[in-house]
């Protein structure tokens, strides 16, 4: 299958591209810069120059391929306005990609986030989060799943709070960046809240399986670690960076503060049973040992 991938040179996307190429697919990768285009070519993909906001380029990518995996996101958490702009840009891109696939029965795999289910681990049957600072992402993906009734084999791979590789990535990576900048490895509240996690190489396998096998309108959980306590994550970061570990204000995390402070474990039991997905790479706490002072 020839697959159009957005975000193909990021932490997750580069793993997905390698997984696709290693399993007989070819890749057309959206590349917003010369550096991204070179990285895509070096990985074995064909670059398509353009940004996520270039909707005509997205349509051209769909026209040239047999399926789509969408991973690109601006990841600008510097302010509520910046985050809102990133969400709006992605929402328009998802809508454009989906409309271009209507009636084709081609696969459209989007990245989403595992939902929050108070008092328990969330499952694939729980609805996407549509409220809060990134609720727009959930609404866009829900709309994409709705295209199942219009001849699109749409599926959502829900990613946990941290997708990691070699000690970097996700919410844990943000904690590490803040610890480097402030000299304190912090956690919100008492740090007992739990975050799910997965290694990027394991997540990549699930994206491929969803592309190849997922029924239209289905959601899947790329969760290897059901929930690590944030204070345990902060403790490893503090030890690796040789900085103190302590509770800090949720305002430290800007617009993501409310999410950082939420207990949000998640399960992948159905995903493992239905798609035969089995994580094989290091857990988050093991992988954080790769952090260099």
């Amino acid at each position: 299958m020839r697959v159009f991938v957005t975000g193909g040179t990021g932490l997750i996307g580069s793993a997905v591209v390698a997984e696709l190429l290693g399993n007989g697919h070819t890749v057309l990768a959206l590349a917003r810069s010369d550096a991204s285009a070179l990285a895509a070519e070096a990985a074995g993909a064909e670059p398509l120059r353009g940004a996520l906001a270039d909707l005509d380029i997205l349509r051209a990518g769909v026209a040239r391929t047999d399926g789509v995996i969408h991973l690109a996101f601006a990841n600008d958490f510097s302010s509520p306005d910046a985050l809102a702009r990133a969400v709006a840009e992605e929402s328009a891109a998802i809508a454009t990609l989906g409309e271009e696939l209507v009636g084709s029965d081609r696969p459209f795999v989007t990245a989403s986030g595992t939902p929050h289910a108070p008092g328990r681990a969330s499952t694939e049957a729980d609805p996407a989060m549509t409220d809060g600072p990134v609720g727009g992402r959930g609404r866009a993906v829900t709309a994409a799943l709705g295209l199942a009734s219009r001849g699109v084999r749409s599926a959502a791979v829900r990613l946990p709070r941290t997708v990691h590789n070699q000690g970097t990535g996700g919410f844990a990576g943000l904690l590490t960046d803040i610890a480097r900048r402030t000299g304190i490895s912090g956690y919100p509240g008492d740090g007992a809240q739990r975050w799910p996690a997965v290694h990027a190489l394991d997540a990549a396998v699930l994206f491929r399986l969803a592309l190849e096998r997922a029924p239209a309108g289905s959601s899947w959980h790329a969760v290897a670690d059901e929930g690590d306590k944030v204070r345990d994550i902060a403790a490893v970061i503090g030890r690796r960076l040789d900085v103190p570990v302590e509770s800090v204000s949720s305002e430290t995390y800007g617009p993501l503060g409310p999410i950082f402070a939420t207990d949000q474990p998640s399960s992948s039991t159905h995903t493992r049973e239905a798609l035969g997905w089995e994580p094989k790479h290091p857990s988050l706490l093991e992988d954080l040992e790769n952090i260099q002072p």
Side-chain angles (χ1 to χ4, degrees):
M1 191 183 303
R2 183 163 172 77
V3 188
F4 181 37
V5 178
T6 72
T9 58
L11 179 105
I12 303 169
S14 57
V16 169
V17 168
E19 175 69 18
L20 292 172
L21 295 173
N23 284 273
H25 301 288
T26 59
V27 174
L28 178 67
L30 185 69
R32 63 182 177 182
S33 67
D34 290 341
S36 292
L38 289 172
E41 285 184 328
E46 178 188 347
L48 176 65
R49 282 302 305 269
L52 194 61
D54 297 331
L55 301 184
D56 285 342
I57 297 295
L58 299 185
R59 294 184 184 99
V62 173
R64 295 174 55 188
T65 50
D66 306 306
V68 176
I69 295 180
H70 166 68
L71 296 164
F73 186 67
N75 284 320
D76 187 346
F77 306 115
S78 60
S79 71
D81 286 346
L83 181 56
R85 285 193 297 271
V87 170
E89 178 183 75
E90 183 192 42
S91 297
I94 289 175
T96 298
L97 292 166
E99 283 296 325
E100 204 66 16
L101 287 163
V102 165
S104 70
D105 292 319
R106 285 178 284 171
F108 180 27
V109 183
T110 58
S112 184
T114 52
H116 170 227
R120 62 172 174 83
S122 67
T123 72
E124 295 86 347
D126 288 312
M129 296 183 295
T130 56
D131 296 321
V134 292
R137 302 191 76 184
R139 293 191 293 273
V141 170
T142 299
L145 292 177
L147 295 174
S149 64
R150 300 176 62 198
V152 181
R153 188 162 62 80
S154 52
V157 172
R158 293 171 169 180
L159 297 168
R161 298 303 159 263
T162 295
V163 182
H164 56 92
N165 193 352
Q166 291 298 306
T168 64
F171 278 14
L174 293 176
L175 291 184
T176 302
D177 292 342
I178 293 169
R180 291 186 190 279
R181 190 170 69 248
T182 66
I184 297 172
S185 181
Y187 52 85
D190 64 4
Q193 65 271 39
R194 294 161 294 172
W195 292 350
V198 68
H199 197 286
L201 297 178
D202 288 320
V205 173
L206 183 54
F207 275 99
R208 175 180 61 80
L209 292 174
L211 178 85
E212 295 172 346
R213 306 181 194 172
S218 58
S219 295
W220 308 94
H221 278 195
V223 174
D225 310 343
E226 185 169 298
D228 295 310
K229 291 182 179 178
V230 179
R231 64 172 175 250
D232 293 339
I233 298 170
V236 178
I237 295 169
R239 177 167 50 76
R240 295 299 301 167
L241 297 181
D242 194 24
V243 297
V245 180
E246 58 190 63
S247 177
V248 299
S249 168
S250 62
E251 294 177 358
T252 303
Y253 309 110
L256 293 178
I259 300 175
F260 272 39
T262 302
D263 184 52
Q264 45 196 305
S266 188
S267 165
S268 59
T269 300
H270 172 67
T271 296
R272 297 181 193 223
E273 292 174 351
L275 291 183
W277 178 67
E278 192 59 45
K280 299 177 180 178
H281 292 87
S283 70
L284 173 59
L285 296 181
E286 292 169 334
D287 199 19
L288 289 175
E289 297 294 342
N290 289 297
I291 293 173
Q292 298 302 310

